[in-house]
Amino acid sequence: MNNKTLLDNLRCIPDFPKKGINFRDVTTLFDNPDCLQIMEDELYDLYKDKGITKIVGIESRGFIMSSALAIKLHAGVVLCRKPGKLPGETIQESYAKEYGTDTIEIHKDSIKSDDVVLLHDDLLATGGTMKAAYNLVKKFNPKKIYVNFIIELTREGLHGRDNFDKETEVTTLLKV
């Protein structure tokens, strides 16, 4: 897709969070109403005919567009959060990070077997967090799972897309 307006408004912060990393900052897309509209329209075009019933937003930037798209698709929103942030009974999935492990969780009663689920987050790099979210949602045995990101980093060595089997449709709005 690589919409020029989105690319022109995407901020790159060199050496954040550490030296050698060029951080792609989506907040400049969120604070621009034209960019928000473009992202909502492009996401809607991608998923309007997929029968999505639930959108799982990954903490925390994934909450923004998942909520906007859910309204347009008349779907529910499920929050995927770090442990201890959700008030009800949850199920968890742990995953390896560069230095150690992390865990995410969602409410135990948030997805049903007849749901068609879209997982959404802001950025695909190595794909560890989204793969954990994907594995977590699979435990509910939904009809179908789709995966979406605003940005996919395509530099050599990341291969985040490789975390998902060929049957899983993975889409991104921007590839940088």
Side-chain angles (χ1 to χ4, degrees), residues 67-127:
S67 298
L69 182 59
I71 292 167
K72 200 158 183 176
L73 291 175
H74 194 71
V77 173
V78 175
L79 302 181
C80 184
R81 303 212 58 195
K82 293 178 180 169
K85 302 290 186 179
L86 296 171
E89 201 173 339
T90 63
I91 63 170
Q92 297 183 336
E93 182 79 16
S94 293
Y95 60 100
K97 293 177 70 171
E98 189 176 353
Y99 302 105
T101 61
D102 211 342
T103 303
I104 54 173
E105 61 185 17
I106 62 176
H107 279 129
K108 198 174 191 176
D109 59 356
S110 58
I111 298 172
K112 309 292 185 242
S113 60
D114 62 343
D115 280 321
V116 176
V117 179
L118 170 62
L119 290 154
H120 173 76
D121 204 0
D122 66 322
L123 182 83
L124 172 59
T126 62

Side-chain angles (χ1 to χ4, degrees), residues 125-148:
T126 62
T129 304
M130 184 60 85
K131 178 61 175 175
Y134 179 84
N135 291 340
L136 190 56
V137 169
K138 279 182 79 168
K139 292 177 183 179
F140 292 95
N141 294 314
K143 282 186 191 176
K144 180 88 174 156
I145 303 172
Y146 296 94
V147 175
N148 173 264

